[in-house]
């Protein structure tokens, strides 16, 4: 299902009407400690440090992102693992009918050894059995999610007819343990269902593919204590005022008008005024520099990490803003001066990428959110 771009300043990600957003705990990501020993890579964390619960949580994050960027976002992503999961650790549903409609099954297996046929075939029996017993509809995709996939199983998954042949060789073996705990009638029905099923539904992405997509999420920095990816250069301020600049630009114009006795009403009028044009240009550059920081943080870390950075600055400058001044311009200057000497909390992973211009721009973001105001005359 195609999505529309979110309006306003968050226009980079698709938003899909009617699809609930998956909730994740929001935390502040701290910088990894400085140490002589190398920090494990994300791949090493997944293979050697994560436990089964960590692996399932990681899979939910990856699956949610996979749905968002696939063009057919999941209506719901539900962790199902545990006793009675009927062969589905994570259910990703494409319709409001959930597992009674079209859905994808993600089976999480976090073993030290590579996942092989002896591990996969019993799980395949479970999902066929769930359909026979009316617990789920058969998923249209069944994805094994494991740190390592055995070479033979990997090759079989690339050749669905051969995978099916190997499955039934094991199923029909006189000493087979597949489905032996089922009643004879149910086992017969499971076999019949499997024989008419296209085994291309079974697949297994490799770990590098999984990590590449997960790295595009906010959760990656929280999961793996690595340094942030390089921050891209900020784009220059656009020539024309954006709709979401209205509040802080109005406050700038009020400060200019009060100080100089002007009657500026628009950004264009201020840009044509020699006394304020240079100052205005610097403030808009700072605003969009901070906007670039916000977007970088949004795509790199959980929201609380950026919020903590902004809140720390606010706690400093609000004390300056709340003092008495003859002019609103003086109040703004004092706040910007305090912002430029402010040192972000060095435990916050974003601190190393924050520049002085970001801190100035964050003040205008706070003004844009009506948390700071320069000209207070007449305010209640």
């Amino acid at each position: 299902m195609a999505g529309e771009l979110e309006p306003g300043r968050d226009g980079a990600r698709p938003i899909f009407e009617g699809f609930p957003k998956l909730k994740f705990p929001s935390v502040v990501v701290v910088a990894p400690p400085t140490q002589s020993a190398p920090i494990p890579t994300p791949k090493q964390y997944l293979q050697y440090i994560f436990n089964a619960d960590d692996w399932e949580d990681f899979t939910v994050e990856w699956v949610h992102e996979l749905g968002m960027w696939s063009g057919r976002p999941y209506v719901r992503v539900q962790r199902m693992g545990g006793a009675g999961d009927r062969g589905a650790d994570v259910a990703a549903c494409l319709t409001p009918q959930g597992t009674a409609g079209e859905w994808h099954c993600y089976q999480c297996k976090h073993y030290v050894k590579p996942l092989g046929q002896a591990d996969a075939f019993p799980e395949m029996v479970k999902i066929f059995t769930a359909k026979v017993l009316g617990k789920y509809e058969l998923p249209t995709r069944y994805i094994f999610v494991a740190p390592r996939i055995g070479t033979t199983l990997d090759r079989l998954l690339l050749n669905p007819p051969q995978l099916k042949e190997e499955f039934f060789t094991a199923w029909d073996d006189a000493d087979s343990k597949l489905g032996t705990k089922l009643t004879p009638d149910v086992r017969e029905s499971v076999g019949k269902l499997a024989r008419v099923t296209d085994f291309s539904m079974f697949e297994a992405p490799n770990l590098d593919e999984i990590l590449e997509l997960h790295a595009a999420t906010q959760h990656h920095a929280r999961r793996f204590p690595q340094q942030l990816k390089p921050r891209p250069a900020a784009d220059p301020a656009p020539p024309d005022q954006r709709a979401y600049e209205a509040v802080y630009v109005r406050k700038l114009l009020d400060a200019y008008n009060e100080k100089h006795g002007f009657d500026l009403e628009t950004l264009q009028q201020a840009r044509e005024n020699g006394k304020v044009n240079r100052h205005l240009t610097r403030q808009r550059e700072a605003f969009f520099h901070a906007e670039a920081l916000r977007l970088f943080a949004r795509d790199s870390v959980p929201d609380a990490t950026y919020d903590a950075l902004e809140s720390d600055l606010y706690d400093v400058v609000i004390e300056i803003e709340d003092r008495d001044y003859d002019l609103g311009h003086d109040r703004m200057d004092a706040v910007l001066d305090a912002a430029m000497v402010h040192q972000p909390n060095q435990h916050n992973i974003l601190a190393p990428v924050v520049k002085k211009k970001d801190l100035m721009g964050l003040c205008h973001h706070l003004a844009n959110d009506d948390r700071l105001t320069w000209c207070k005359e007449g305010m209640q």
Side-chain angles (χ1 to χ4, degrees), residues 253-254 256-265 273-276:
L253 298 183
D254 289 344
Y256 299 149
N257 290 341
E258 181 188 53
K259 179 177 180 178
H260 300 291
F262 296 147
D263 191 23
L264 303 172
E265 289 295 329
N273 187 298
K275 280 196 172 182
V276 303

Side-chain angles (χ1 to χ4, degrees), residues 181-219:
K181 293 184 179 180
L182 302 174
T183 65
D185 288 347
V186 171
R187 191 176 192 277
E188 181 181 0
S189 295
V190 167
K192 288 180 179 179
L193 175 62
R195 290 186 192 280
V196 297
T197 296
D198 182 352
F199 271 46
S200 64
M201 66 180 281
F202 297 106
E203 54 190 285
N206 67 50
L207 192 55
D208 290 329
E209 292 172 346
I210 294 172
L211 275 169
E212 183 178 4
L213 184 58
H214 191 271
T217 73
Q218 315 181 318
H219 309 291

Side-chain angles (χ1 to χ4, degrees), residues 73-127:
Y74 295 125
V75 174
R76 184 176 181 184
V77 176
Q78 179 69 46
R79 180 175 171 179
M80 309 275 284
D85 63 17
R86 299 283 183 177
D89 287 324
V90 177
C93 307
L94 290 113
T95 73
Q97 284 71 43
T99 56
E102 184 180 0
W103 67 291
H104 298 162
C105 176
Y106 292 83
Q107 183 62 34
C108 305
K109 292 297 178 187
H110 192 269
Y111 298 153
V112 175
K113 64 181 180 66
L115 189 74
Q117 301 97 294
D119 308 302
F121 288 173
E123 299 302 328
M124 294 158 66
V125 171
K126 287 182 185 179
I127 204 67

Side-chain angles (χ1 to χ4, degrees), residues 27-184:
V27 297
V28 177
V29 179
V30 299
T34 302
Q35 55 186 33
S36 55
I39 300 172
T41 65
K43 197 169 186 177
Q44 290 169 332
Y45 264 95
L46 291 177
Q47 291 177 331
Y48 305 113
I49 299 175
F50 272 28
N51 59 32
D53 283 340
D54 294 331
W55 181 250
E56 286 193 15
D57 289 340
F58 168 82
T59 299
V60 169
E61 295 163 2
W62 168 67
V63 169
H64 182 65
E65 190 71 11
L66 183 64
M68 288 296 292
W69 291 106
S70 68
R72 284 193 77 193
Y74 295 125
V75 174
R76 184 176 181 184
V77 176
Q78 179 69 46
R79 180 175 171 179
M80 309 275 284
D85 63 17
R86 299 283 183 177
D89 287 324
V90 177
C93 307
L94 290 113
T95 73
Q97 284 71 43
T99 56
E102 184 180 0
W103 67 291
H104 298 162
C105 176
Y106 292 83
Q107 183 62 34
C108 305
K109 292 297 178 187
H110 192 269
Y111 298 153
V112 175
K113 64 181 180 66
L115 189 74
Q117 301 97 294
D119 308 302
F121 288 173
E123 299 302 328
M124 294 158 66
V125 171
K126 287 182 185 179
I127 204 67
F128 289 131
T129 303
K131 165 61 179 173
V132 167
L133 296 179
K135 303 300 182 181
Y136 308 137
E137 282 301 310
L138 200 64
T140 52
R141 292 177 66 197
Y142 185 106
I143 300 96
F144 290 104
V145 189
R148 302 177 187 82
I149 303 295
T151 302
T152 302
L153 177 60
D154 199 30
R155 289 174 179 170
L156 288 175
L157 290 167
L158 290 173
N159 189 333
Q162 189 176 357
L163 173 66
K164 191 172 189 175
E165 181 181 336
E166 290 292 328
F167 174 84
F168 277 105
T169 296
W171 178 262
D172 294 331
D173 188 283
D175 297 324
S176 176
K177 295 182 180 180
L178 292 177
T180 54
K181 293 184 179 180
L182 302 174
T183 65

